[in-house]
Each structure stands twice: as structure tokens, then as C-alpha cells.
């Protein structure tokens, strides 16, 4: 069983569970007298998180008509931008022929409306955006992905990221 994330307060001499519930979890998952490796993890700002999604929505609303039909929602735009900026995982299938690759790509596309599927020669590649959830991305990686995605979508609507990020979070 995987140990859940435990939250502790540092009192200058030792770490203490941040709440009674955390103490119960620590008792359940840790053994007295054992040594555990820890690393500090900075919390992500919910304000930054909300601001990011508000700016993405603003970019989506301002997509040129020709692009708007390719992105039915701001979430589609976010996934596409994450993939385009390298925040993705991919799977590649080598097929027997170019025709087979085209058929497999056509089959794979509707499986996940947020993924990008390409067929080049006899190779099919499926790209899936990485999660930006607080659990999946720490503060620094989230900030980097946020900056790259906002730069990318700002270029799509022919503006700069600074103008785009002047949007207030709802």
C-alpha cells in the first residue's frame, strides 16, 4: 500500500503531524524507530491555478473563426497546447503499411477527444497531455507548463502572453 502524502509542521526541532488526522495516518503508515527520506514540496497557489484557467478561457473565446471549430472547449485548447509544448506522453505503433496506419489512426482518434493522433508513413503516434493536477505537478513544473502553454496560445490569437495574463481569475 502506497503511503499517502502526510503534512507536518516544523517547530524548529522536529516535524509534528499538522492535524490529528495526519497523526492517525502517520501511525498507520509509518513505523516508530524507522528512518524515512523526505523532500519538501511547495504548495501551488490556487490563485495562480485559477488565473491560468481564466486566461486560457479568454484565449479560447478569442480564437479566430478558422481555429475555433478545432477546439470545441477551452479544455480542448489546453490539452492541445500542453501536447504542442511537450507536456505529454506518447505511444507509437509501427504498422505494416501506410494504409494500415491511416486506418489505425482513424480508429484511435475518437477514443480520447483530447489526444492528438498522427499517421506518418507506416507509423501512428498518439499524444496525450500530462495532467496538471496539484498531485501530478509540483509548483515549479506547473509554473513552467503554465508559462509555455500561455505563450503558445497567445501566439495562436496573435497577442502576447502578458496581455493574455492580464485577465482576472473568476
Amino acid at each position: 500500500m502506497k503511503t499517502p502524502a502526510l503534512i507536518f509542521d516544523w517547530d524548529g526541532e522536529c516535524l509534528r503531524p499538522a492535524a490529528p488526522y495526519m497523526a492517525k495516518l502517520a501511525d498507520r503508515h509509518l513505523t516508530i524507530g524507522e528512518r524515512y527520506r523526505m523532500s519538501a514540496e511547495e504548495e501551488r497557489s490556487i490563485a495562480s491555478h485559477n488565473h491560468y484557467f481564466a486566461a486560457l478561457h479568454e484565449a479560447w473565446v478569442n480564437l479566430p473563426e478558422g481555429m475555433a471549430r478545432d477546439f470545441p472547449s477551452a479544455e480542448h485548447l489546453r490539452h492541445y497546447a500542453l501536447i504542442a509544448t511537450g507536456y505529454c506522453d506518447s505511444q507509437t505503433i509501427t504498422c505494416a503499411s501506410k494504409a494500415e496506419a491511416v486506418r489505425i489512426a482513424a480508429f484511435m482518434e475518437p477514443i480520447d477527444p483530447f489526444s492528438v493522433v498522427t499517421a506518418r508513413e507506416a507509423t501512428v503516434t498518439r499524444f496525450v497531455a500530462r495532467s496538471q493536477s496539484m498531485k501530478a505537478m509540483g509548483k515549479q513544473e506547473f509554473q513552467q507548463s503554465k508559462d509555455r502553454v500561455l505563450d503558445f496560445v497567445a501566439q495562436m490569437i496573435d497577442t502576447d502572453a502578458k496581455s493574455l495574463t492580464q485577465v482576472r481569475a473568476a
Side-chain angles (χ1 to χ4, degrees):
M1 175 171 27
K2 186 176 178 184
T3 303
L6 301 171
I7 301 170
F8 296 90
D9 292 323
W10 175 247
D11 69 8
E13 291 183 23
C14 68
L15 291 168
R16 299 197 186 282
Y21 174 71
M22 286 293 141
K24 286 180 185 178
L25 280 177
D27 284 341
R28 190 175 310 138
H29 294 279
L30 305 177
T31 303
I32 294 172
E34 290 290 321
R35 183 174 286 183
Y36 295 92
R37 181 180 308 269
M38 299 181 69
S39 61
E41 191 175 291
E42 289 187 56
E43 293 281 326
R44 248 171 50 192
S45 160
I46 195 69
S48 175
H49 185 85
N50 290 344
H51 178 261
Y52 170 62
F53 283 93
L56 275 173
H57 186 266
E58 187 67 20
W60 176 70
V61 168
N62 287 293
L63 283 173
E65 268 186 51
M67 281 187 207
R69 69 178 153 266
D70 294 331
F71 305 103
S73 70
E75 194 64 8
H76 284 84
L77 177 62
R78 181 176 74 89
H79 281 254
Y80 178 79
L82 282 164
I83 291 166
T85 57
Y87 288 92
C88 62
D89 296 313
S90 65
Q91 300 87 33
T92 301
I93 300 169
T94 303
C95 303
S97 67
K98 187 175 183 176
E100 183 184 22
V102 170
R103 281 193 303 277
I104 289 175
F107 173 77
M108 291 174 71
E109 280 182 343
I111 292 172
D112 178 359
F114 298 116
S115 67
V116 173
V117 178
T118 62
R120 291 209 169 73
E121 295 304 318
T123 304
V124 177
T125 305
R126 178 175 172 250
F127 300 91
V128 178
R130 289 196 42 226
S131 173
Q132 289 181 298
S133 71
M134 292 195 182
K135 187 175 183 177
M137 276 190 188
K139 181 179 180 178
Q140 183 178 356
E141 186 179 15
F142 174 74
Q143 188 60 50
Q144 288 172 341
S145 69
K146 173 184 170 181
D147 292 343
R148 288 184 186 159
V149 164
L150 292 177
D151 284 340
F152 181 83
V153 297
Q155 288 179 344
M156 289 177 73
I157 60 172
D158 200 26
T159 191
D160 59 278
K162 185 177 180 185
S163 298
L164 185 60
T165 58
Q166 290 177 346
V167 171
R168 291 188 181 169

